[in-house]
Amino acid sequence: MTRVISISPTIRHEGKSGLVLDVDEKGIVTRGDWVGLSPVRGIERFCTGKKMHQVPKIASRTCGICPVPHVLAGVGAMEASIGCEVPKDALLLRRIIHSASRLSVHALHAFMVLPDLYYPGTDTRINPYSPEPRARAIADRIQRIREIGQDCVQIAGGEAIHPGNPRVGGMYRNISPQAKTKLFDLAKEGNVLAHEHLDCMLALIRDFSRREWVEIGGARVPVPKNLGYHNQGYLATDPLYGTSSLEEHPSFDLARYAEVSPEHWYRGPGEVTYGDPTYPGGGTLPEGTAFDPAREMCPAVPIYDGQPVEVGAAARLRRFSNFDEKGTIGQLVARQMECIPAVTELEDCIDRLNPAGAVRAGTLPPGDGKPGWAANEAPRGTLVHITRVKDRKVRFFKMIVPTSWNMPTAGLALAGSPWQLAEFVIRGYDPCISCASH
Amino acid sequence: MGAELGKYKSCVSARSTDKEVLKYAQDGGIVTSLFGYALDTGIIDGAIVAANKEFYAKYPSKCIQDSSNLDMIEPWRPIPAIVNTKAELLAAAGTKYNISPNIALLKEATRSFGLDKIGIVGTPCQMQAVRKAQLYPVGMRDVGASIALAVGIFCMENFPYQSILQLVEDHAAMKLESVKKMEIGKGKFWVYGKRGQVVQLPLKVTHKYEQPGCHVCLDYVANLGDISTGSVGSPDGWSTIFVRSKIGEAVWAKAIADGVFETQPIEKVKPGLELVTKLANEKITKNKNTLEARKTFGVGKALRNPYI
Ligand code: SF4
């Protein structure tokens, strides 16, 4: 007999979302709907008519974890629409803040999943807030990595959260030689820590993947080997940075993308038939609670070739580095693995940056309404901003956000897992619901 | 009143022992030498100062740079800049009697300039801004902890650029380009020309040109600086120094031990603290009255009082 369980709100990710799960008599999910509940702020709509310089700054406020991708996709889209090339050193500064932010965001996600993981070889869960030395060693390192990442964004981008330095046509200012040296020292320290962090996280994730069961709400829940598997395909435009319609052969095809309303992928109204008060954090929603995912879902659903796809670290490594591990474990591993190329790219770009180089394009064309888009490989996957700029004003603005791609995909990936692990599966996507809703 | 000079640990009259600095300096070369010393010894790794047009021509990347102020680069208009060497310090020395928004560079100093230990010089109101940013960092992430040495300069009032233009070019009948030095002292506004001309204007003439915001200012000797300095109280070529905070005390003691300054006890010099106290009292009393008047400025309506 099928029971319907709903976990809402879900925790340890950005924003607000809920899960509606059909569950068989063994507790295995037969259908999952992951519903984004962060209210729509309507950024695309209210940016229409505003100046091209303002819109990327507004778009940045979509999300404070990944403001860097939104700023960069924003200015990139404006530049693509007006047809403006940015100077080399400006691009290097952008790559510096991009890679530094990826490093710190991935490290933050490690913090989010630590409480799901166990000390290897034990049945003791990790509490990153605990004062005991084992926990402190892991958590302090993550904090230092995040500090380093944010300091780098702050120096090269003007601010760690909502960087002010990027502008249409390049950057407002280059950095001083003194700042370049400081960045280098930070990156070097980050490199060592990122390697230690990766070793540590891989050991924890591997240990988890070997476990037969995990303890949730006092019960032993079996861990399937194919946790989080799906057949939806993967999308990524670049291992590191992104692409845009300014390029001769962009690695993203706008023609294959479409956006549909949630009704196409989400279930209709119903009600919860089973509540489990022992589920951690106050239990699941009580029996009789009404839901309507297709209507409650705030984000629209982007599809590629007619289907939801997965984007993010695993998708990038799969497409560009022959990574073939699937499911939740694959996502966790891929994300932490990406810290290393991020920090390497960071060092490389700092090295190549000329602090005396120009960082602003000469004159900016006002734009004639031609469409332009830029994709940025945000920590959570492919982020695309599309725009049409005419006379320096934004006439059309659209954001396709990584978590929007991932939400329907992750819903499908829930099938086959014990319902108690559903939150762990969606956490594998490092969701950002504020980004998804925007 | 009694509190007009703020809290301080010691007060002396001092001047730099560096002849080159004294050549460029307004008074005793205190700010230039102190920052030079702090840079040499690693107390700071850069300082925010008020530079000028010539400095901007030489070191554009060290100045505030946004398209809004590029057409404001005129003679005797201060341009906030970040200096890292003695040569740059010397290039920026000297008082400019109009508004220099030094705090505008405070955050940027920790960003694209990459400073960890900032030195900053400014008027009393700018010292207040620094301290407020440290205690209430609104949009000032990581800035507070990076401030290593704040040097305040005495300030009776300031002028907008247009005022200085009018005072110098109309009242003193001198082209701004040909001015070597300006000074307010002994009850006069002095303008010294590069060709040796000296013009003095009675302060009475300057009053209507003051920036109105200065009329609610209750701080004369930079009460919130780590170290405060100014000309009043000491003989020509010397400065009066208040050493106020622990940081200020440590830096000052080291600088004295290293022979950066020569000092005389303030009690021994003329006109000494008596005049400083008198002027401080005058400023504070006058401006308190202005503040008071704002309470009943309208009919049944007040103007805002930022101190409450
Ligand atoms: S009088 Fe006060 S407000 Fe005016 S410049 Fe001087 S310190 Fe600032």
Side-chain angles (χ1 to χ4, degrees):
Chain A
M1 208 212 40
T2 302
R3 294 178 295 177
V4 187
I5 296 177
S6 176
I7 304 169
S8 183
T10 47
I11 58 157
R12 276 190 275 126
H13 60 69
E14 200 284 343
K16 191 174 177 199
S17 74
L19 287 161
V20 177
L21 307 166
D22 281 356
V23 172
D24 69 12
E25 58 284 359
K26 290 211 193 71
I28 303 297
V29 176
T30 53
R31 178 195 167 114
D33 286 73
W34 177 24
V35 192
L37 300 172
S38 286
V40 171
R41 284 157 291 163
I43 292 172
E44 295 164 340
R45 247 359 204 160
F46 75 71
C47 278
T48 310
K50 296 209 185 309
K51 291 195 181 129
M52 67 175 176
H53 291 292
Q54 196 184 5
V55 168
K57 314 264 158 190
I58 296 171
S60 170
R61 272 74 183 172
T62 303
C63 172
I65 302 179
C66 289
V68 171
H70 281 289
V71 165
L72 296 182
V75 291
M78 304 300 147
E79 286 153 2
S81 173
I82 62 176
C84 150
E85 298 259 352
V86 307
K88 173 183 141 281
D89 288 304
L91 197 55
L92 284 171
L93 283 170
R94 288 183 185 179
R95 294 186 82 109
I96 287 170
I97 64 173
H98 178 82
S99 45
S101 117
R102 182 179 288 182
L103 178 68
S104 77
V105 171
H106 283 351
L108 176 65
H109 186 254
F111 216 86
M112 299 292 110
V113 292
L114 277 177
D116 293 317
L117 306 177
Y118 288 80
Y119 289 110
T122 73
D123 289 335
T124 312
R125 274 237 162 84
I126 300 168
N127 172 7
Y129 297 104
S130 148
E132 64 145 339
R134 273 191 307 183
R136 291 287 20 101
I138 304 172
D140 289 351
R141 185 170 47 226
I142 291 176
Q143 282 184 346
R144 182 60 193 146
I145 291 174
R146 284 185 47 69
E147 231 167 52
I148 289 170
Q150 296 207 332
D151 280 359
C152 290
V153 179
Q154 192 159 290
I155 293 168
E159 196 59 85
I161 300 167
H162 308 312
N165 201 4
R167 52 163 289 156
V168 179
M171 302 291 267
Y172 279 99
R173 52 188 313 148
N174 205 330
I175 60 170
S176 72
Q178 195 174 358
K180 176 173 163 163
T181 313
K182 187 170 163 186
L183 276 182
F184 225 149
D185 291 349
L186 285 168
K188 290 271 176 216
E189 186 190 344
N191 195 331
V192 175
L193 292 178
H195 278 88
E196 285 174 19
H197 170 71
L198 175 63
D199 288 348
C200 163
M201 290 305 294
L202 285 183
L204 299 180
I205 299 164
R206 286 285 168 243
D207 175 74
F208 184 94
S209 71
R210 281 190 291 265
R211 291 190 70 89
E212 301 288 325
W213 55 269
V214 292
E215 184 269 334
I216 293 171
R220 286 191 173 196
V221 177
V223 184
K225 289 297 154 211
N226 60 352
L227 184 70
Y229 279 31
H230 65 74
N231 294 315
Q232 288 308 114
Y234 299 85
L235 172 73
T237 65
D238 190 84
L240 291 161
Y241 192 76
T243 179
S244 89
S245 57
L246 272 188
E247 285 174 21
E248 209 172 322
H249 303 291
S251 49
F252 174 77
D253 187 355
L254 209 51
R256 290 163 70 186
Y257 144 86
E259 187 178 275
V260 298
S261 79
E263 274 101 22
H264 289 81
W265 291 96
Y266 282 80
R267 69 198 297 161
E271 78 181 28
V272 173
T273 61
Y274 177 77
D276 181 348
T278 65
Y279 187 74
T284 65
L285 292 187
E287 211 177 302
T289 312
F291 55 74
D292 190 355
R295 300 241 176 99
E296 285 162 2
M297 173 81 173
C298 292
V301 174
I303 49 176
Y304 206 63
D305 295 335
Q307 286 288 323
V309 290
E310 179 182 332
V311 297
R316 285 189 284 261
L317 289 188
R318 194 165 267 280
R319 172 138 185 228
F320 297 102
S321 306
N322 299 319
F323 182 76
D324 65 353
E325 195 159 346
K326 289 172 72 173
T328 306
I329 298 297
Q331 290 170 336
L332 298 180
V333 167
R335 185 168 300 112
Q336 299 311 321
M337 277 172 63
E338 267 200 336
C339 288
I340 305 300
V343 80
T344 312
E345 155 100 343
L346 178 62
E347 285 179 339
D348 185 44
C349 292
I350 297 168
D351 205 21
R352 280 156 57 203
L353 178 77
N354 169 15
V359 292
R360 284 195 224 179
T363 49
L364 292 182
D368 55 8
K370 231 175 59 222
W373 58 262
N376 184 281
E377 282 298 329
R380 299 173 164 104
T382 307
L383 166 70
V384 189
H385 284 192
I386 312 165
T387 189
R388 282 193 286 111
V389 177
K390 187 161 183 280
D391 301 328
R392 299 187 182 83
K393 289 222 174 106
V394 169
R395 306 299 158 135
F396 170 83
F397 188 55
K398 168 112 214 106
M399 303 155 79
I400 319 169
V401 182
T403 300
S404 310
W405 294 108
N406 280 337
M407 291 196 88
T409 312
L412 296 166
L414 287 169
S417 304
W419 69 268
Q420 295 94 332
L421 284 174
E423 271 200 84
F424 183 63
V425 170
I426 62 163
R427 221 168 272 142
Y429 289 82
D430 191 5
C432 177
I433 319 297
S434 298
C435 280
S437 293
H438 53 273
Chain B
M1 280 191 282
E4 59 278 271
L5 302 183
K7 293 202 162 133
Y8 60 93
K9 296 177 188 283
S10 61
C11 176
V12 292
S13 186
R15 76 171 173 200
S16 173
T17 50
D18 186 331
K19 293 276 151 355
E20 203 191 350
V21 168
L22 287 178
K23 217 164 66 198
Y24 292 89
Q26 184 80 10
D27 303 302
I30 304 298
V31 178
T32 307
S33 277
L34 195 59
F35 278 162
Y37 176 74
L39 280 169
D40 287 346
T41 49
I43 293 165
I44 59 173
D45 56 8
I48 303 174
V49 300
N52 54 14
K53 193 181 168 207
E54 291 74 27
F55 183 99
Y56 180 81
K58 229 165 144 186
Y59 313 101
S61 68
K62 303 228 132 182
C63 300
I64 279 198
Q65 241 184 341
D66 64 48
S67 40
S68 64
N69 71 352
L70 284 180
D71 52 355
M72 286 175 28
I73 294 170
E74 298 151 298
W76 288 96
R77 188 194 281 279
I79 300 169
I82 287 179
V83 294
N84 300 89
T85 63
K86 186 179 165 196
E88 290 163 7
L89 265 171
L90 286 176
T95 303
K96 296 104 192 156
Y97 281 101
N98 60 106
I99 299 156
S100 179
N102 285 8
I103 307 301
L105 262 183
L106 189 55
K107 181 152 113 175
E108 198 59 49
T110 65
R111 304 319 201 235
S112 61
F113 288 97
L115 302 193
D116 290 315
K117 294 176 277 181
I118 305 170
I120 179 162
V121 56
T123 50
C125 55
Q126 290 173 327
M127 292 299 109
Q128 290 170 15
V130 168
R131 300 314 181 198
K132 190 167 180 183
Q134 286 182 299
L135 285 171
Y136 304 95
V138 179
M140 284 288 201
R141 178 178 164 137
D142 286 355
V143 172
S146 309
I147 293 161
L149 181 61
V151 180
I153 44 184
F154 302 176
C155 175
M156 188 57 92
E157 73 274 305
N158 204 346
F159 301 92
Y161 184 75
Q162 282 301 319
S163 297
I164 285 299
L165 188 73
Q166 205 141 339
L167 281 168
V168 172
E169 302 211 336
D170 293 354
H171 292 273
M174 212 184 283
K175 193 90 179 115
L176 265 177
E177 275 91 344
S178 61
V179 173
K180 193 173 82 193
K181 181 172 176 172
M182 290 181 224
E183 195 171 16
I184 295 180
K186 304 183 191 76
K188 300 260 184 325
F189 182 81
W190 303 79
V191 188
Y192 300 92
K194 286 183 182 149
R195 280 174 290 111
Q197 326 89 296
V198 184
V199 180
Q200 38 168 304
L201 304 172
L203 281 187
K204 194 165 86 236
V205 173
T206 67
H207 288 327
K208 71 169 176 185
Y209 295 105
E210 288 163 7
Q211 93 170 307
C214 292
H215 296 155
V216 293
C217 172
L218 306 178
D219 188 348
Y220 176 52
V221 286
N223 295 351
L224 297 183
D226 290 315
I227 293 175
S228 319
T229 174
S231 62
V232 175
S234 291
D236 280 353
W238 289 73
S239 300
T240 303
I241 313 285
F242 291 99
V243 179
R244 298 184 182 280
S245 67
K246 276 196 187 134
I247 292 175
E249 201 177 31
V251 177
W252 186 254
K254 272 174 87 180
I256 296 293
D258 285 350
V260 181
F261 300 109
E262 50 179 318
T263 63
Q264 314 176 51
I266 192 74
E267 300 75 29
K268 295 267 165 62
V269 302
K270 286 273 165 239
L273 271 191
E274 203 182 313
L275 178 65
V276 187
T277 311
K278 177 173 160 271
L279 292 182
N281 261 318
E282 275 175 25
K283 170 172 178 177
I284 295 165
T285 310
K286 183 174 98 322
N287 291 348
K288 270 197 174 148
N289 290 338
T290 311
L291 265 173
E292 202 54 34
R294 288 171 65 90
K295 255 193 216 162
T296 52
F297 188 86
V299 179
K301 286 196 201 98
L303 291 176
R304 200 178 70 90
N305 179 352
Y307 296 96
I308 51 174

